[in-house]
Amino acid sequence: MTAQAQAQAPAAIDASRVAGFESRFVTALNEAAMLQLISLAHRSGLLAHLADGEPVTSRELAAKTKLNERYVREWLGGATVAALVEHDPQTLTYRLPPEHATLLTDSGEANLAVFAQYLPLMGQVEDDVLECFHHGGGVPYTRYTRFHEVMAEDSGQTVLPVLFDAILPLAPELPARLERGVDVLDLGCGRGLALMKLAERFPASRFTGYDLSREAIGWATERAARRGLSNLRFEERDLSDFDLTAPAQRYDLVTTFDAIHDQAHPLNLLKGVRRTLRQDGVYLAQDIHASSHHHGDRDHPMGTLLYTLSIMHCMSVSLAQGGEGLGTMWGQEKAREYFGKAGFGSIEVHQLPHDIQNDYWVLRP
């Protein structure tokens, strides 16, 4: 055989690797199906009504949840096979073990069922994303019907519970300054839950939230008014040219929570943050913990999920605006580069014990 023929010959197939990947694939199909079951049960209230750990029949559970019994029964079948619930075939009852309830309902420290919603949510735009693979461009925010609702639940797991005790103290002077009264801006605020919590806690301070989504801003404005938060306002705003439109030295504190990598022009946003910060101001940024290099994320505990979410949402919504398409996994190296280009003189990064998904940056002029 010639050298050229040898180069073109197919590599020998390792049968054990084939079998190993086949087994992994079948497991993945079942585990993905379990996530769909969990998402349905979270949204329908099934998990919440099973949280007490008491055995129930399908009819009893359907009555408690006011759901259709046939669908409840089939869900219980899938949940039994997935070992989500325990089933007694003699009494035809089902129960959610307390070890599962503490992770999948509000009875524990974190409700992981919230995150099961991401895959079915992203699946709704698969056809749109496939078109982008063929023709470029992106999928606009308006195609993601429940995105801000799910993101609000997500931030309720990562940001809200530790906002006062862990996040603000990363800049030690912030709690006292907020008590005295400062001007605060949150960019990409979504439904504004973090701002509402801050506005309630620090009535002497003044809070503003900007987001591109009309739906999110409408929801936040209505909810803030209902809670009587006169020191808080929201505005629908495209931040693509924030480097030019940001009011100079207007704010004492600027925050972004999981928002930079979605922007059409993230560096413009960061330059605007630097422009609008007062000289003694602080910028707090929560964003995805990752490497800027593919090989650096091989051992990332959520790397596959986060790259998938980038394709299905974060990168795509940026490209839909004619933007950079930075992507979810832009990583620490790229973040430091962009923060430096934006003009920040002090750049610190922290990780919090409860959150393996995000980095927390403290930046100063």
Side-chain angles (χ1 to χ4, degrees):
M1 184 181 291
T2 66
Q4 183 179 4
Q6 287 178 335
Q8 293 175 348
I13 293 178
D14 185 334
S16 65
R17 292 186 70 181
V18 172
F21 187 74
E22 181 181 31
S23 176
R24 175 187 168 194
F25 184 81
V26 171
T27 298
L29 285 175
N30 278 305
E31 297 295 90
M34 181 186 70
L35 291 177
Q36 178 68 78
L37 291 173
I38 291 172
S39 178
L40 284 168
H42 172 72
R43 296 181 65 191
S44 65
L46 282 168
L47 287 171
H49 282 87
L50 287 166
D52 59 10
E54 293 299 316
V56 290
T57 66
S58 62
R59 289 187 180 278
E60 290 168 341
L61 183 57
K64 287 172 67 175
T65 56
K66 298 182 173 56
L67 298 173
N68 180 277
E69 189 274 338
R70 183 66 190 91
Y71 278 88
V72 170
R73 185 173 8 128
E74 200 72 0
W75 182 88
L76 286 167
T80 297
V81 173
L84 281 176
V85 301
E86 297 171 346
H87 174 49
D88 184 338
Q90 302 302 316
T91 60
L92 295 181
T93 57
Y94 307 81
R95 70 184 288 267
L96 185 67
E99 295 82 4
H100 295 185
T102 195
L103 293 173
L104 297 177
T105 72
D106 292 334
S107 63
E109 292 184 4
N111 185 347
L112 299 185
V114 167
F115 303 99
Q117 299 173 95
Y118 277 118
L119 292 184
L121 179 66
M122 297 301 107
Q124 294 174 5
V125 296
E126 183 178 19
D127 288 346
D128 304 78
V129 173
L130 184 60
E131 280 295 306
C132 297
F133 269 85
H134 288 291
H135 305 295
V139 182
Y141 272 110
T142 53
R143 289 287 293 120
Y144 298 86
T145 54
R146 294 186 59 243
F147 178 75
H148 284 288
E149 177 186 341
V150 176
M151 279 300 299
E153 286 193 87
D154 186 335
S155 68
Q157 308 285 330
T158 56
V159 174
L160 300 186
V162 297
L163 184 58
F164 301 133
D165 295 334
I167 297 177
L168 290 181
L170 292 174
E173 75 275 23
L174 277 182
R177 292 187 67 185
L178 285 160
E179 290 281 4
R180 293 194 297 269
V182 293
D183 295 298
V184 181
L185 175 65
D186 186 28
L187 301 170
C189 65
R191 289 191 168 192
L193 297 182
L195 277 181
M196 291 183 213
K197 193 165 184 175
L198 287 166
E200 286 180 333
R201 177 70 171 265
F202 302 109
S205 289
R206 300 155 295 279
F207 300 88
T208 301
Y210 293 154
D211 198 276
L212 183 64
S213 168
R214 178 172 300 177
E215 178 274 326
I217 290 298
W219 189 96
T221 299
E222 187 276 332
R223 189 60 57 94
R226 189 189 306 175
R227 292 163 72 166
L229 298 174
S230 58
N231 60 336
L232 171 59
R233 71 180 187 90
F234 293 98
E235 182 181 329
E236 179 187 346
R237 185 161 175 175
D238 185 341
L239 299 169
S240 298
D241 61 351
F242 199 57
D243 56 328
L244 302 176
T245 60
Q249 297 192 25
R250 173 68 178 79
Y251 292 96
D252 303 284
L253 171 63
V254 177
T255 59
T256 56
F257 295 108
D258 200 21
I260 303 169
H261 63 263
D262 291 338
Q263 300 301 312
H265 303 288
L267 187 53
N268 288 358
L269 173 74
L270 294 172
K271 288 179 177 179
V273 173
R274 175 63 183 87
R275 172 188 168 102
T276 204
L277 267 184
R278 291 175 176 142
Q279 202 53 40
D280 61 348
V282 177
Y283 171 34
L284 282 180
Q286 175 214 39
D287 218 281
I288 298 298
H289 172 72
S291 166
S292 300
H293 309 288
H294 292 171
H295 68 273
D297 287 320
R298 284 174 177 153
D299 296 325
H300 194 297
M302 300 179 69
T304 304
L305 173 64
L306 291 168
Y307 267 106
T308 303
L309 292 177
S310 184
I311 295 167
M312 303 301 291
H313 178 269
C314 302
M315 180 185 76
S316 192
V317 295
S318 174
L319 292 172
Q321 301 172 67
E324 180 179 343
L326 188 59
T328 309
M329 303 293 278
W330 63 313
Q332 283 194 6
E333 298 92 336
K334 179 68 73 173
R336 286 189 180 277
E337 175 192 338
Y338 275 32
F339 292 143
K341 286 182 177 178
F344 289 98
S346 173
I347 302 172
E348 303 173 8
V349 63
H350 305 266
Q351 281 194 282
L352 299 179
H354 80 291
D355 187 357
I356 62 171
Q357 179 176 307
N358 293 289
D359 288 326
Y360 292 82
W361 299 83
V362 180
L363 302 111
R364 304 174 192 272

